[in-house]
Amino acid sequence: MLTGMQIAVIGGDARQLEIIRKLTELDARLSLIGFEQLDHAFTGAVKEKLDEVDFSTIDALILPVPGTNLEGQVETIFSNEKVILTEDMLIKTPEHCTIYSGISNAFLNEITTKSKRRLIQLFSRDDVAIYNSIPTVEGTIMMAIQHTDYTIHGSNVMVLGLGRCGMSTARAFHALGAKVKVGARKSEHLARITEMGVTPFHLSNLVKEVSDTDILINTIPHPVVSAAVISKLPANTLIIDIASKPGGTDFRYAEKRGIKALLAPSLPGIVAPKTAGLILADVLTQLLQDDLLNRKGKE
Ligand code: NAP
């Protein structure tokens, strides 16, 4: 149970609703910031404006998956209010207050470091990233179907990266009957790609490998799909870039060449917010319970 815990949930999309539901079931008291347009009410949760929050009482602060942008603004799907998290707010929290987000950036790293508050990035956990890759792949398949006039079965699909998303993506497209090639840079990844029954290639050969690609799926958060690569793609290739913003594709050059290139962020929140929210809610409740027990043990 989370009885006695005061938690601020700041912004987010439908995934956050599963988190709110689960935390209120466990008897936590919640301040919901950026949810005033949400019709649903949760027992034990109070909608507040950011300037109404008493940060000195907050034991944990939950941000949406992207955290903040580089100016500190938090995405709020259920509000028109501009919500900006500042270092001053964090300094007002008790020292034990932990900040939870999916991923982080330079701004969030800086304000948590300067205020000496612990930041936990849920997506840096393998378990969360692997579970989350399941709705991500379903979203990628949806986009491939929506933006092509041919079947995935039989098409040439290239996946860049063999991380948590790359592996799930390669497996799923292979299972759907696509001819899948996967590009990676580590020898153990190339070995794993071979073991999976798909075709490996080293990323240094990317320019030479792309000439027969129907669908190129990038999972690498680094500018790998460069102008040089795009110049060798067939004109009707579809690029789906799922890497975190700004993606790894030269979108300007793709547009210039008339190649359809889509940056596809937050797919789990779009195609399966309930599942994606439950993945986060499960791990968050575990971490919050551990945190509470830890503090009680020290008292
Ligand atoms: P991951 O497990 O860390 O995998 C990243 C992959 O990129 C690894 O194969 C890594 O290879 C490779 N890589 C990183 N930097 C590279 C570089 N400079 N050159 C070549 N390869 C490089 O991450 P993930 O969980 O699969 O997530 C992949 C991306 O998708 C992330 O940006 C994540 O935020 C994003 N994501 C998006 C969605 C969505 O809905 N769009 C959902 C989930 C995740 P090495 O091991 O060789 O470094």
Side-chain angles (χ1 to χ4, degrees):
M1 295 300 284
L2 295 169
T3 309
M5 239 191 164
Q6 181 74 42
I7 302 171
V9 180
I10 305 188
D13 55 28
R15 287 175 280 189
Q16 252 41 17
L17 305 185
E18 294 305 318
I19 295 173
I20 295 167
R21 197 185 320 278
K22 187 136 190 187
L23 298 184
T24 49
E25 274 169 18
L26 290 170
D27 202 26
R29 287 192 310 267
L30 301 192
S31 299
L32 307 182
I33 299 108
F35 289 91
E36 79 268 10
Q37 289 170 0
L38 181 69
D39 287 337
H40 196 87
F42 295 90
T43 314
V46 182
K47 292 175 191 164
E48 287 181 78
K49 295 233 179 263
L50 195 57
D51 55 13
E52 293 166 357
V53 177
D54 178 0
F55 282 95
S56 68
T57 64
I58 301 292
D59 299 305
L61 204 150
I62 299 175
L63 296 172
V65 167
T68 67
N69 71 10
L70 290 171
E71 283 78 47
Q73 189 170 349
V74 182
E75 272 178 20
T76 52
I77 302 296
F78 298 106
S79 166
N80 292 327
E81 188 193 354
K82 195 169 180 182
V83 174
I84 297 186
L85 188 70
T86 65
E87 187 188 330
D88 282 349
M89 292 170 189
L90 299 189
I91 287 172
K92 286 185 191 138
T93 61
E95 273 177 23
H96 65 256
C97 178
T98 304
I99 324 299
Y100 297 90
S101 77
I103 56 175
S104 187
N105 60 21
F107 176 86
L108 195 52
N109 289 342
E110 186 179 323
I111 62 166
T112 49
T113 308
K114 282 191 174 163
S115 59
K116 299 198 176 68
R117 296 296 177 266
R118 197 158 63 111
L119 171 67
I120 296 194
Q121 298 178 50
L122 299 174
F123 281 7
S124 63
R125 292 172 57 110
D126 263 344
D127 55 355
V128 175
I130 292 168
Y131 285 128
N132 195 58
S133 73
I134 301 168
T136 305
V137 171
E138 291 192 11
T140 311
I141 293 169
M142 175 191 77
M143 295 198 73
I145 292 170
Q146 279 175 342
H147 293 277
T148 55
D149 55 6
Y150 48 84
T151 56
I152 290 172
H153 186 277
S155 59
N156 291 324
V157 173
M158 175 176 280
V159 178
L160 300 181
L162 193 77
R164 284 85 48 110
C165 288
M167 188 180 288
S168 305
T169 305
R171 253 194 240 294
F173 278 82
H174 178 54
L176 286 171
K179 288 173 247 162
V180 177
K181 259 187 197 179
V182 185
R185 59 182 175 177
K186 289 185 179 148
S187 61
E188 63 266 35
H189 284 173
L190 298 173
R192 178 61 68 198
I193 295 162
T194 308
E195 177 276 325
M196 287 163 62
V198 296
T199 307
F201 70 91
H202 195 282
L203 277 173
S204 59
N205 294 326
L206 181 55
V207 171
K208 288 186 220 141
E209 294 283 347
V210 289
S211 60
D212 62 348
T213 307
D214 297 313
I215 304 172
L216 192 164
I217 302 165
N218 178 49
T219 75
I220 300 177
H222 189 76
V224 279
V225 188
S226 60
V229 173
I230 294 169
S231 69
K232 295 285 187 272
L233 285 170
N236 58 355
T237 302
L238 169 68
I239 302 175
I240 304 174
D241 195 329
I242 70 157
S244 52
K245 282 180 191 167
T249 302
D250 186 336
F251 288 98
R252 184 203 61 82
Y253 186 73
E255 190 178 357
K256 190 172 169 194
R257 257 211 76 199
I259 287 186
K260 193 186 270 185
L262 309 166
L263 184 62
S266 298
L267 290 170
I270 296 167
V271 296
K274 193 171 180 69
T275 309
L278 282 172
I279 293 166
L280 295 169
D282 282 347
V283 69
L284 263 171
T285 49
Q286 192 58 54
L287 291 170
L288 290 165
Q289 279 172 337
D290 290 351
D291 186 34
L292 192 60
L293 281 177
N294 208 6
R295 274 193 288 127
K296 281 192 174 152
K298 284 181 188 157
E299 278 168 16

